[in-house]
């Protein structure tokens, strides 16, 4: 499991959530989030922008992120896509910023899942919360060793016009999982762009310090921990899904 959330994270999130006016602007990324001290997404700007553009093309109403961490991606899901009415946010370490989001986005209905995404309790909570609604966009970025388990757990709730994103597909385990899911027959696309890391490493080689914590994070990963794949449901109504009792309830994060 990841370390505890850093001290000061809630102040950082409060700062970037100040004011909800930008929600209608249709931006793909928010620089103030990426430049924030502690609320920046553990993603690349270009890949997150790609995800937002793909998502906007289906005017999603219900989105779910597994592994919301410090909420940098979650802020984008909520602010960049004005059609979104419902957000499901899951992280095994908790979501201590839930009340900040609910205050900032009073027109959005949230479900906060502070447990393992593939626990039967999490799956049951999503089922009971959605009733007849379906998930339009599912972003899987939690336990990198259990991506297919997450996919199978939430596939029954996916809209047949929806899309499932898998993050970190440049890394071995997510790449294998994404390819195995794609081999089931879904139309799929990949987006991998490490140009931001290369630019940061060039600055590092010149002895220039990172301008932001996100820039430091890019340098740390040196072009790894990135890439995103999309699996389009394209009308798929059913697929072989393991019975719920096969889904474990433990902490595998
Ligand atoms: C790489 S971070 C996600 C970054 C985030 N999506 C973003 O855009 O900034 C991975 C997160 O997944 C969470 N996690 C790991 N295993 C999990 C599980 N089984 N269920 C839910 N969350 C999990 C971790 O606590 C961590 O916060």
């Amino acid at each position: 499991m990841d370390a505890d959330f850093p001290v000061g994270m809630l102040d950082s999130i409060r700062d970037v959530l100040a004011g909800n006016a930008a929600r209608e602007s249709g931006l793909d990324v928010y620089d103030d989030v990426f430049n924030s001290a502690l609320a920046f997404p553990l993603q690349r700007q270009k890949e997150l922008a790609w995800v937002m553009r793909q998502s906007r093309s289906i005017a999603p109403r219900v989105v779910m992120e597994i592994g919301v961490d410090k909420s940098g991606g979650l802020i984008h899901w909520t602010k960049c896509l004005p059609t979104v009415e419902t957000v499901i946010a899951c992280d095994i370490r908790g979501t201590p910023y839930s009340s900040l989001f609910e205050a900032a986005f009073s027109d959005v209905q949230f479900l906060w899942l502070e447990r393992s995404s593939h626990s039967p309790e999490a799956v049951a909570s999503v089922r009971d919360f959605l009733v007849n609604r379906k998930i339009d966009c599912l972003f899987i970025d939690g336990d990198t060793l259990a991506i297919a388990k997450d996919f199978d757990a939430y596939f029954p709730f996916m809209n047949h016009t929806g899309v499932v994103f898998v993050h970190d597909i440049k890394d071995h385990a997510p790449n294998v999982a994404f390819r195995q899911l794609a081999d089931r027959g879904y139309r799929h696309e990949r987006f991998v762009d490490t140009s931001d890391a290369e630019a940061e490493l060039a600055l590092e080689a010149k002895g220039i310090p990172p301008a932001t914590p996100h820039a430091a994070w890019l340098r740390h990963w040196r072009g790894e921990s990135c890439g995103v794949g999309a699996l389009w449901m394209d009308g798929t109504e059913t697929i072989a899904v393991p019975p719920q009792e096969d889904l474990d309830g433990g902490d595998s994060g």
Side-chain angles (χ1 to χ4, degrees):
M1 177 160 339
D2 295 14
D4 289 343
F5 289 123
V7 174
M9 177 185 77
L10 291 182
D11 289 334
S12 231
I13 295 172
R14 195 176 286 110
D15 287 346
V16 296
L17 286 179
N20 188 19
R23 186 153 193 252
E24 299 299 330
S25 69
L27 289 176
D28 292 331
V29 292
Y30 285 89
D31 287 339
D32 59 335
V33 185
F34 273 91
N35 293 338
S36 76
L38 292 169
F40 60 88
L42 304 186
Q43 298 183 49
R44 317 308 169 107
Q45 286 216 12
K46 286 180 185 168
E47 70 191 18
L48 181 53
W50 184 81
V51 166
M52 290 299 131
R53 285 197 297 275
Q54 300 297 313
S55 300
R56 191 175 289 115
S57 73
I58 59 168
R61 298 170 71 177
V62 181
V63 300
M64 175 173 181
E65 179 172 354
I66 296 174
V68 285
D69 193 48
K70 296 184 284 301
S71 81
L74 190 66
I75 293 172
H76 285 81
W77 282 111
T78 317
K79 288 184 78 161
C80 294
L81 303 168
T83 55
V84 167
E85 300 166 350
T86 303
V87 173
I88 303 172
C90 176
D91 201 290
I92 197 169
R93 288 189 292 165
T95 57
Y97 33 77
S98 55
S99 60
L100 299 178
F101 272 75
E102 287 174 4
F105 304 111
S106 56
D107 56 338
V108 174
Q109 189 183 15
F110 290 95
L111 174 66
W112 304 99
L113 295 172
E114 300 185 297
R115 56 174 73 246
S116 174
S117 53
H118 31 264
S119 67
E121 293 84 358
V123 177
S125 294
V126 170
R127 183 194 60 222
D128 295 347
F129 173 76
L130 286 173
V131 191
N132 293 321
R133 293 171 293 183
K134 292 287 186 182
I135 300 169
D136 298 298
C137 300
L138 171 63
F139 188 77
I140 300 178
D141 196 14
D143 179 355
T144 54
L145 300 179
I147 289 169
K149 190 181 279 189
D150 277 338
F151 183 95
D152 289 334
Y154 295 97
F155 174 81
F157 310 120
M158 285 303 300
N159 196 329
H160 65 279
T161 57
V163 55
V164 177
F165 297 99
V166 176
H167 194 236
D168 288 334
I169 60 165
K170 188 163 180 287
D171 299 352
H172 179 70
N175 181 37
V176 170
F178 179 73
R179 286 167 55 177
Q180 288 175 344
L181 289 170
D183 284 348
R184 294 183 186 183
Y186 297 107
R187 179 169 63 92
H188 57 281
E189 291 169 77
R190 306 165 68 92
F191 185 91
V192 181
D193 183 318
T194 55
S195 57
D196 50 1
E198 286 152 20
E200 277 303 326
L201 293 175
L203 293 173
E204 183 182 72
K206 291 180 187 167
I208 299 171
T212 63
H214 182 256
W217 177 81
L218 288 173
R219 293 185 189 195
H220 172 80
W221 284 100
R222 312 193 91 70
E224 296 303 314
S225 190
C226 71
V228 62
L231 299 155
W232 294 90
M233 299 298 97
D234 281 346
T236 313
E237 299 287 357
T238 56
I239 200 167
V241 176
Q244 293 299 309
E245 55 267 26
D246 287 354
L247 300 168
D248 75 38
D251 291 358
S252 52

